Amino acid sequence: MAVVYAVGVGPGDPELLTRKAERILRSVDVICAPTGAAEAGSYALSIVEPFLDRSRQEVLVQLFPMVKDQKGLDPFWEEAADQVAERIAQGKDVAFITIGDPFLYSTYLYIHRIFLAKYPEIRIEIVPGISSILAASAVSGVPLGLAAEKIAILPAAYEDAELKRTLEEFDTVILMKVSRVFDRVYALLKELGRERQGVFVRRVGSEEEEVHFDLEALVGQKLDYLSMLIVKKGAL
Amino acid sequence: MAVVYAVGVGPGDPELLTRKAERILRSVDVICAPTGAAEAGSYALSIVEPFLDRSRQEVLVQLFPMVKDQKGLDPFWEEAADQVAERIAQGKDVAFITIGDPFLYSTYLYIHRIFLAKYPEIRIEIVPGISSILAASAVSGVPLGLAAEKIAILPAAYEDAELKRTLEEFDTVILMKVSRVFDRVYALLKELGRERQGVFVRRVGSEEEEVHFDLEALVGQKLDYLSMLIVKKGAL
């Protein structure tokens, strides 16, 4: 029976794909790539383009419009799942590509839930990818965790008190999509005397990658949506 | 100037190396591989063996004996760093290979600290690798985090009260090297009515990989040192 592969394509650099991801992308019949806006194209697709043969492979760019609440996307995900299921029924292998890792804050997880609920008979294989967290740690030279160190990963929604407690209890705290709350987070770090214990990484693995250790210089700036902050206990 | 590459080689499957890791391993002059016991050989080395050309490349297996306290290893790490520095001075590129990712609970981090302190002039590049956490999530089909979910990663040293609080506050809790404390953790999960919300994964990515959703069956067993437990809020 045909297989759906959920393929993590890493943070942006095509060299950070795994050998397995490359093999699967070269061999499948259909590649599905998500985009938030039709005119923008698919970032995931641009990463894997060198491995594709469009004369032999079908490339489906699937539109999931930018909306505030992901639930508004349910009909789009459902249609995308239907398109995949149709090709699986024809005996075609499908790769659904996703930035980073498919099981760590990826948009693939929305379609995954629909596969499980609506098409439980479809065989799915998850192909892990280098997460932006690992890539940001590597380019900044700031290790995520050694020995008995505890790590917390927080999406950008949290209260100050909660963040403060997490900073106290964990050796490493990773704040995803930090741009919208950066000034508030910086003020808290300063209050704790820890404003020099963080590194800000934007668009890791892409041409626009930037690494900032001077957090104060970022206060009041309009920051990139695709950015994260890694805060450590002790010296960086 | 020559470069030290800290190369994450993934959890065990040679296909989970990145393309970048493969390119570097094929091109460097020297490969350093850690082992805990001389007679056991190096697990990291066995993963990358297919990419090496021993007629052209030097392979240094470096011994770091199993000891209770990593501090007892300082002389071994220092000697290993000296061996690397000697080759860098000769203009040779060196890859230090490590299971998983170099900056996430790897033994490489010990040698990294010595490089920074003793050889600050040496250029180091970190090459991220698929962590066992990502691989365990993929093979078990249990996602790590979606949307606003919070993730905690705990090494095996923690008190019951602390673990309980972490389980309450985080959507996903990953317990590394859980074997020694498994029975205690299971009892706590049962007390919280959450004994069906975890998946146990041993030696992910290797020939001996196992995935267990029936945690009760593991109680009282002698479990593998290389194993982890992923606990989620809600159904798996």
Side-chain angles (χ1 to χ4, degrees), chain A residues 13-20 22-23 51 101 103-106 109-110 112-113 126 128-131 134-135 137-138 141-155 157 162 165-166 169-170, chain B residues 13-20 22-23 51 101 103-106 109-110 112-113 126 128-131 134-135 137-138 141-155 157 162 165-166 169-170:
Chain A
D13 176 355
E15 273 215 298
L16 289 183
L17 258 79
T18 63
R19 300 172 66 242
K20 184 172 186 174
E22 181 182 354
R23 172 176 61 78
F51 312 121
D101 180 273
F103 268 8
L104 189 56
Y105 303 126
S106 90
L109 282 165
Y110 295 98
H112 186 70
R113 294 201 292 194
I126 308 300
I130 299 293
S131 147
L134 298 180
S137 168
V142 174
L144 292 175
L146 171 70
E149 290 181 353
K150 293 165 196 157
I151 301 171
I153 308 173
L154 301 184
E162 180 193 353
R165 197 171 58 244
T166 305
E169 289 184 6
F170 287 79
Chain B
D13 177 355
E15 272 215 298
L16 289 182
L17 258 80
T18 63
R19 300 172 65 243
K20 184 172 186 174
E22 180 181 353
R23 172 177 61 79
F51 312 121
D101 180 271
F103 269 9
L104 190 56
Y105 303 126
S106 89
L109 282 165
Y110 294 99
H112 185 70
R113 295 202 291 195
I126 308 299
I130 299 292
S131 145
L134 298 180
S137 169
V142 175
L144 292 176
L146 171 70
E149 290 181 353
K150 293 165 197 154
I151 301 171
I153 309 174
L154 302 184
E162 181 193 353
R165 195 170 60 242
T166 305
E169 290 185 4
F170 287 81

Side-chain angles (χ1 to χ4, degrees), chain A residues 149-188:
Chain A
E149 290 181 353
K150 293 165 196 157
I151 301 171
I153 308 173
L154 301 184
Y158 35 71
E159 301 301 318
D160 279 7
E162 180 193 353
L163 178 56
K164 196 168 166 179
R165 197 171 58 244
T166 305
L167 285 166
E168 277 160 7
E169 289 184 6
F170 287 79
D171 300 280
T172 306
V173 178
I174 299 150
L175 304 177
M176 310 295 293
K177 293 185 181 160
V178 75
S179 59
R180 283 172 297 191
V181 294
F182 182 83
D183 289 4
R184 179 160 67 85
V185 170
Y186 180 80
L188 179 64

